Amino acid sequence: MPDWLFKIADIALTLFLVYLVLFVVRDRVAVRLMRGFLLLVLAHQLAALYGLPYLSALLDKLILVSAVGIATLYQSQVRRILEKLGRGEFIDLLTPSEARGINPENEVLDRIVDSVKDLSQSRTGALILIETTSTPIDQKDFLRPGVPIDAEVSKELLKSIFYDKNPLHDGAVLIRDTRVIAARILFHLSEKTGFRQLGTRHLAARSVTAQLDNCVCVIVSEETGSISLAKRGELNRPLTSSELRELLADYFKSGDRESVTTSLSDFSRRLKSQGKDLLTSLAHLKLPFIKKD
């Protein structure tokens, strides 16, 4: 087989692996990161091809640092990929996470909103993290996983957890489906400049929703009693209890999770188009690494 076919196969397998990682991570930021990473790899190959040793060496180190940075940023997803590969669950890697969360017609949503309304009126600080997909949040992603609760969501339970004399009030609660999974959870706080002007609860909410793509976070300010909703690192505030319910209901009803499916489809179409252009160019240009028999 001609050497240039091996080169093309190498490129195709690399792109496939990149696409697989993006499919598993399913994060919009990851799409942009991998695009930048691929550009670095391409620039490195071109520098090596045209005999630019210093630039090639610099890009080589930059690629290594970038790979470590991406792996650190998405350590939970990387861990999940490696675990599934280790168990031989290759099909599961290509199975998208099903949308899940609170049924907007279910009274659980009313219980959450009613408790938030009461907490707001009494100016009791609260932080409620709600999962939105069938893939559960790995509590190893938290600074402290908190105290297991595993109880049905109720207005009384949420109000009692955040009562300032309750030892569990300091931190967040995690809601999965219709159950409170844990309380007194602590999140890693972001160092982003735009986040530093926020209070601790709002900072924690923006940080965790910026890090994790499958959740939303409801915040009640202890100082003002204002209600906020964080999603993908963005805050929507101040909200009334009715506005909060409408946002949550619309979110879970419409599945408005800004999935990266469109981004991935667009990414794959571009790769396909650019791949065809590359093959066409290789067929007409006599590049150094192509040796015809």
Side-chain angles (χ1 to χ4, degrees):
M1 181 180 291
D3 182 63
W4 65 274
L5 284 180
F6 283 105
K7 296 288 185 179
I8 293 177
D10 182 31
I11 294 173
L13 288 173
T14 301
L15 293 178
F16 173 75
L17 288 175
V18 170
Y19 184 84
L20 177 63
V21 171
L22 290 175
F23 187 85
V24 174
V25 175
R26 302 183 70 81
D27 181 82
R28 294 171 300 154
V29 177
V31 174
R32 294 193 290 268
L33 287 175
M34 292 310 296
R35 284 174 180 169
F37 187 76
L38 285 177
L39 285 176
L40 286 178
V41 173
L42 179 60
H44 174 263
Q45 292 298 319
L46 290 175
L49 179 64
Y50 290 102
L52 302 173
Y54 297 110
L55 180 59
S56 178
L58 178 63
L59 289 172
D60 182 61
K61 300 303 180 185
L62 188 56
I63 288 172
L64 178 60
V65 172
S66 300
V68 173
I70 293 173
T72 302
L73 182 61
Y74 293 97
Q75 55 182 313
S76 61
Q77 291 91 337
V78 172
R79 182 170 61 245
R80 187 171 74 249
I81 292 172
L82 294 178
E83 287 176 354
K84 288 184 177 296
L85 288 176
R87 293 195 296 261
E89 299 174 353
F90 304 106
I91 301 300
D92 289 349
L93 286 174
L94 298 175
T95 303
S97 299
E98 296 179 357
R100 183 185 67 178
I102 300 170
N103 187 332
E105 305 301 327
N106 194 305
E107 62 180 9
V108 172
L109 184 58
D110 290 326
R111 296 174 194 170
I112 294 174
V113 175
D114 288 343
S115 65
V116 168
K117 180 180 179 180
D118 288 353
L119 291 167
S120 173
Q121 292 175 345
S122 63
R123 294 194 177 184
T124 302
L127 195 59
I128 303 173
L129 187 68
I130 307 172
E131 290 185 356
T132 57
T133 69
S134 60
T135 301
I137 294 174
D138 189 343
Q139 294 188 15
K140 293 179 182 178
D141 292 329
F142 301 147
L143 179 62
R144 190 170 71 191
V147 179
I149 300 292
D150 195 20
E152 191 75 16
V153 173
S154 70
K155 173 181 175 181
E156 293 74 21
L157 175 60
L158 291 175
K159 289 177 63 177
S160 65
I161 288 176
F162 291 112
Y163 176 59
D164 60 5
K165 297 297 189 294
N166 190 327
L168 298 180
H169 84 281
D170 188 17
V173 301
L174 172 63
I175 294 179
R176 177 178 301 152
D177 286 335
T178 62
R179 303 189 71 79
V180 176
I181 302 302
R184 206 181 181 186
I185 299 170
L186 297 183
F187 305 139
H188 294 282
L189 300 183
S190 175
E191 296 296 329
K192 292 183 178 180
T193 304
F195 288 9
R196 295 176 185 171
Q197 306 301 321
L198 299 171
T200 303
R201 287 189 178 86
H202 292 84
L203 174 60
R206 289 194 67 174
S207 299
V208 71
T209 55
Q211 177 190 2
L212 304 175
D213 212 38
N214 56 338
C215 63
V216 293
C217 198
V218 180
I219 314 101
V220 178
S221 172
E222 186 174 357
E223 294 182 358
T224 64
S226 65
I227 301 171
S228 307
L229 179 66
K231 182 175 71 171
R232 288 186 173 84
E234 299 295 330
L235 281 177
N236 193 336
R237 64 172 183 172
L239 300 172
T240 64
S241 58
S242 59
E243 289 173 336
L244 174 65
R245 196 197 189 288
E246 289 177 4
L247 284 173
L248 290 175
D250 289 344
Y251 180 77
F252 290 115
K253 183 177 181 179
S254 66
D256 182 21
R257 296 165 179 81
E258 298 181 20
S259 171
V260 300
T261 303
T262 303
S263 296
L264 289 177
S265 299
D266 178 65
F267 185 54
S268 63
R269 284 195 299 269
R270 292 185 181 183
L271 286 180
K272 183 178 179 181
S273 175
Q274 293 171 2
K276 289 182 178 180
D277 293 341
L278 177 61
L279 291 176
T280 302
S281 300
L282 291 175
H284 293 87
L285 295 177
K286 296 181 179 180
L287 295 178
F289 62 82
I290 298 180
K291 297 180 181 178
K292 296 183 179 180
D293 289 345

